[in-house]
Amino acid sequence: MDNGLPPTLPCESGVNRAAIKPGTMDWPAPNDNTNNPIRETMVYQRPWKSFQTQLDILQSRNLKVTDEAAAINHLQRIGYYRLSAYLYPFRVFRLAQDTETGAIKTVREDWFVDHTHFADAVNLYVFDKKLRLLLLDALERIEVALRVDIAYLQGERDTFAYQHIENFHPTFAKRNSQHQKWLQKYESLLKRSKEDFVKHYEQVHGADLPIWVAIEVWDFGALSQLFAMMRVPDQTVIAQKYGVANFNVFRSWLRSLNYLRNLCAHHSRLWNRNVIDQPRLPQKGEIAWCDAYIGKPDLISRPFLLINIVTQLIRMVCPSAYPGP
């Protein structure tokens, strides 16, 4: 197992495992100091726990640990709370009837199914990390290619196209002052930029950057938001380049890929995640692989669809590096 960890560090001991009963101790959680009137009425009952105590709790809940020193090391390097998300599917669940409403509901027990190992969570964590890194590589290539697409198309019309609302769809750009808000975001990104080319252009050519330069300080969110304001023919031209006939579908794909990019960049769990920002699907028959998702919300709400979208786009951008099946 490739865990990328240094030799085992000293761990705390002296905890009586026999005294720990299932359900009596729960995951450590960070202190919450927000000024929430509801939370102010609650008394926090979960104290800080040592790494050894955390491991003892897991073992008391039927989790198998074959190498305690390695397990302590993982808790020190990854953290109990992060690993608990990868252990969640191994918890015991049972059906119970609500005594007041009579409704049947699923109840989670503080107990792991038999033969669940600590290594199962670590292996899933490592898999998830590798998956995020692969996706980040592909998303970088897609984002850079889209920057060129937008700058090339709009730059031919207007060197400073992003600044002028007349270059965009009148409804999309004016709705809720979207273009004005986007310009404010761009200015914020520009001020935060430490790139030498920004200083060079400002000193030599003035404060206004041509779109093929300005686009290099945009993040994926700014790119997808500007794309959503573009004229329909412009959106369609770019969407069709990536094999998508409907510009609305492609626009939603970019928004969802920005969501995916943020998950990956901020080390958030991707495996087994419920996807909040769900992309639209084309009509049946337009893109063959999409047909498998139509009418299946359980699949659409998982990362599979986003990964398939990345696969289609990256094969358009780098067909030699990402050949088809």
Side-chain angles (χ1 to χ4, degrees), residues 281-302:
L281 291 170
Q283 294 295 318
K284 188 173 183 179
E286 289 186 8
I287 300 176
W289 64 262
C290 289
D291 291 351
Y293 290 94
I294 295 176
K296 298 179 180 178
D298 56 327
L299 290 180
I300 295 173
S301 66
R302 293 296 182 174

Short mmCIF file of all heavy atoms in Angstrom, two decimals, residues 281-302:
data_model
loop_
_atom_site.label_atom_id
_atom_site.label_comp_id
_atom_site.label_asym_id
_atom_site.label_seq_id
_atom_site.Cartn_x
_atom_site.Cartn_y
_atom_site.Cartn_z
N LEU A 281 -27.97 17.40 -19.68
CA LEU A 281 -27.70 16.36 -20.66
C LEU A 281 -28.29 16.74 -22.01
O LEU A 281 -29.33 17.40 -22.08
CB LEU A 281 -28.30 15.03 -20.20
CG LEU A 281 -27.64 14.35 -18.99
CD1 LEU A 281 -28.48 13.18 -18.53
CD2 LEU A 281 -26.23 13.90 -19.33
N PRO A 282 -27.63 16.34 -23.10
CA PRO A 282 -28.21 16.59 -24.43
C PRO A 282 -29.41 15.68 -24.67
O PRO A 282 -29.67 14.76 -23.89
CB PRO A 282 -27.05 16.25 -25.37
CG PRO A 282 -26.25 15.23 -24.60
CD PRO A 282 -26.35 15.63 -23.16
N GLN A 283 -30.12 15.94 -25.74
CA GLN A 283 -31.24 15.09 -26.11
C GLN A 283 -30.74 13.69 -26.45
O GLN A 283 -29.61 13.50 -26.89
CB GLN A 283 -31.99 15.67 -27.31
CG GLN A 283 -32.68 17.00 -27.03
CD GLN A 283 -33.80 16.87 -26.01
OE1 GLN A 283 -34.58 15.92 -26.05
NE2 GLN A 283 -33.87 17.82 -25.08
N LYS A 284 -31.59 12.71 -26.24
CA LYS A 284 -31.20 11.32 -26.51
C LYS A 284 -30.74 11.17 -27.95
O LYS A 284 -31.39 11.64 -28.88
CB LYS A 284 -32.37 10.38 -26.22
CG LYS A 284 -32.00 8.90 -26.29
CD LYS A 284 -33.14 8.02 -25.83
CE LYS A 284 -32.72 6.56 -25.83
NZ LYS A 284 -33.82 5.67 -25.37
N GLY A 285 -29.61 10.53 -28.12
CA GLY A 285 -29.08 10.28 -29.45
C GLY A 285 -28.07 11.30 -29.92
O GLY A 285 -27.34 11.05 -30.89
N GLU A 286 -27.99 12.46 -29.27
CA GLU A 286 -27.04 13.50 -29.70
C GLU A 286 -25.61 13.11 -29.37
O GLU A 286 -24.70 13.30 -30.18
CB GLU A 286 -27.39 14.84 -29.06
CG GLU A 286 -28.65 15.49 -29.60
CD GLU A 286 -28.88 16.89 -29.05
OE1 GLU A 286 -27.98 17.41 -28.36
OE2 GLU A 286 -29.96 17.44 -29.29
N ILE A 287 -25.39 12.61 -28.15
CA ILE A 287 -24.07 12.14 -27.73
C ILE A 287 -24.30 10.75 -27.12
O ILE A 287 -24.94 10.62 -26.08
CB ILE A 287 -23.42 13.09 -26.70
CG1 ILE A 287 -23.24 14.48 -27.31
CG2 ILE A 287 -22.08 12.55 -26.24
CD1 ILE A 287 -22.69 15.52 -26.34
N ALA A 288 -23.76 9.74 -27.77
CA ALA A 288 -24.13 8.36 -27.46
C ALA A 288 -23.94 8.01 -25.98
O ALA A 288 -24.85 7.43 -25.35
CB ALA A 288 -23.33 7.40 -28.34
N TRP A 289 -22.79 8.36 -25.40
CA TRP A 289 -22.53 7.93 -24.03
C TRP A 289 -23.45 8.61 -23.02
O TRP A 289 -23.67 8.09 -21.92
CB TRP A 289 -21.07 8.15 -23.65
CG TRP A 289 -20.60 9.57 -23.62
CD1 TRP A 289 -19.92 10.23 -24.60
CD2 TRP A 289 -20.77 10.52 -22.55
NE1 TRP A 289 -19.65 11.53 -24.23
CE2 TRP A 289 -20.15 11.72 -22.97
CE3 TRP A 289 -21.36 10.48 -21.30
CZ2 TRP A 289 -20.13 12.87 -22.17
CZ3 TRP A 289 -21.34 11.60 -20.50
CH2 TRP A 289 -20.73 12.79 -20.94
N CYS A 290 -24.00 9.78 -23.37
CA CYS A 290 -24.89 10.50 -22.46
C CYS A 290 -26.22 9.78 -22.27
O CYS A 290 -26.91 9.98 -21.25
CB CYS A 290 -25.15 11.92 -22.97
SG CYS A 290 -23.72 13.02 -22.83
N ASP A 291 -26.60 8.96 -23.24
CA ASP A 291 -27.90 8.29 -23.17
C ASP A 291 -28.02 7.42 -21.92
O ASP A 291 -29.12 7.22 -21.39
CB ASP A 291 -28.12 7.43 -24.42
CG ASP A 291 -28.31 8.27 -25.68
OD1 ASP A 291 -28.45 9.50 -25.55
OD2 ASP A 291 -28.32 7.69 -26.78
N ALA A 292 -26.90 6.88 -21.45
CA ALA A 292 -26.92 5.99 -20.29
C ALA A 292 -27.32 6.74 -19.01
O ALA A 292 -27.72 6.11 -18.02
CB ALA A 292 -25.55 5.34 -20.10
N TYR A 293 -27.25 8.07 -19.02
CA TYR A 293 -27.55 8.87 -17.83
C TYR A 293 -28.97 9.45 -17.85
O TYR A 293 -29.48 9.86 -16.81
CB TYR A 293 -26.57 10.04 -17.70
CG TYR A 293 -25.17 9.62 -17.34
CD1 TYR A 293 -24.22 9.40 -18.33
CD2 TYR A 293 -24.79 9.44 -16.01
CE1 TYR A 293 -22.92 9.02 -18.01
CE2 TYR A 293 -23.51 9.05 -15.68
CZ TYR A 293 -22.58 8.84 -16.69
OH TYR A 293 -21.30 8.46 -16.36
N ILE A 294 -29.59 9.48 -19.01
CA ILE A 294 -30.90 10.12 -19.13
C ILE A 294 -31.94 9.38 -18.27
O ILE A 294 -32.09 8.17 -18.37
CB ILE A 294 -31.34 10.17 -20.61
CG1 ILE A 294 -30.39 11.07 -21.41
CG2 ILE A 294 -32.78 10.68 -20.73
CD1 ILE A 294 -30.68 11.11 -22.90
N GLY A 295 -32.63 10.13 -17.43
CA GLY A 295 -33.66 9.55 -16.58
C GLY A 295 -33.13 8.76 -15.40
O GLY A 295 -33.89 8.02 -14.77
N LYS A 296 -31.85 8.93 -15.07
CA LYS A 296 -31.25 8.19 -13.96
C LYS A 296 -30.60 9.16 -12.98
O LYS A 296 -29.38 9.35 -12.99
CB LYS A 296 -30.23 7.18 -14.47
CG LYS A 296 -30.86 6.12 -15.38
CD LYS A 296 -29.82 5.15 -15.90
CE LYS A 296 -30.46 4.10 -16.79
NZ LYS A 296 -29.45 3.17 -17.35
N PRO A 297 -31.38 9.80 -12.15
CA PRO A 297 -30.85 10.80 -11.21
C PRO A 297 -29.81 10.24 -10.25
O PRO A 297 -28.95 10.98 -9.78
CB PRO A 297 -32.10 11.29 -10.46
CG PRO A 297 -33.11 10.21 -10.64
CD PRO A 297 -32.84 9.62 -11.99
N ASP A 298 -29.87 8.94 -9.95
CA ASP A 298 -28.89 8.35 -9.05
C ASP A 298 -27.50 8.36 -9.67
O ASP A 298 -26.49 8.49 -8.96
CB ASP A 298 -29.29 6.92 -8.68
CG ASP A 298 -29.49 6.03 -9.89
OD1 ASP A 298 -29.94 6.55 -10.93
OD2 ASP A 298 -29.23 4.81 -9.81
N LEU A 299 -27.41 8.24 -11.00
CA LEU A 299 -26.12 8.31 -11.68
C LEU A 299 -25.69 9.76 -11.89
O LEU A 299 -24.51 10.09 -11.74
CB LEU A 299 -26.20 7.61 -13.04
CG LEU A 299 -26.32 6.08 -13.04
CD1 LEU A 299 -26.39 5.56 -14.47
CD2 LEU A 299 -25.14 5.45 -12.31
N ILE A 300 -26.64 10.62 -12.21
CA ILE A 300 -26.32 12.03 -12.47
C ILE A 300 -25.78 12.71 -11.21
O ILE A 300 -24.95 13.61 -11.29
CB ILE A 300 -27.57 12.77 -13.00
CG1 ILE A 300 -27.97 12.20 -14.36
CG2 ILE A 300 -27.33 14.27 -13.12
CD1 ILE A 300 -29.29 12.74 -14.88
N SER A 301 -26.23 12.26 -10.06
CA SER A 301 -25.82 12.90 -8.80
C SER A 301 -24.48 12.41 -8.29
O SER A 301 -24.01 12.83 -7.24
CB SER A 301 -26.89 12.65 -7.72
OG SER A 301 -26.96 11.26 -7.41
N ARG A 302 -23.84 11.52 -9.04
CA ARG A 302 -22.53 11.01 -8.67
C ARG A 302 -21.46 11.56 -9.60
O ARG A 302 -21.77 12.09 -10.67
CB ARG A 302 -22.53 9.47 -8.69
CG ARG A 302 -23.41 8.86 -7.61
CD ARG A 302 -22.91 9.19 -6.22
NE ARG A 302 -23.72 8.57 -5.17
CZ ARG A 302 -23.42 8.62 -3.89
NH1 ARG A 302 -22.34 9.25 -3.50
NH2 ARG A 302 -24.21 8.06 -2.99
#
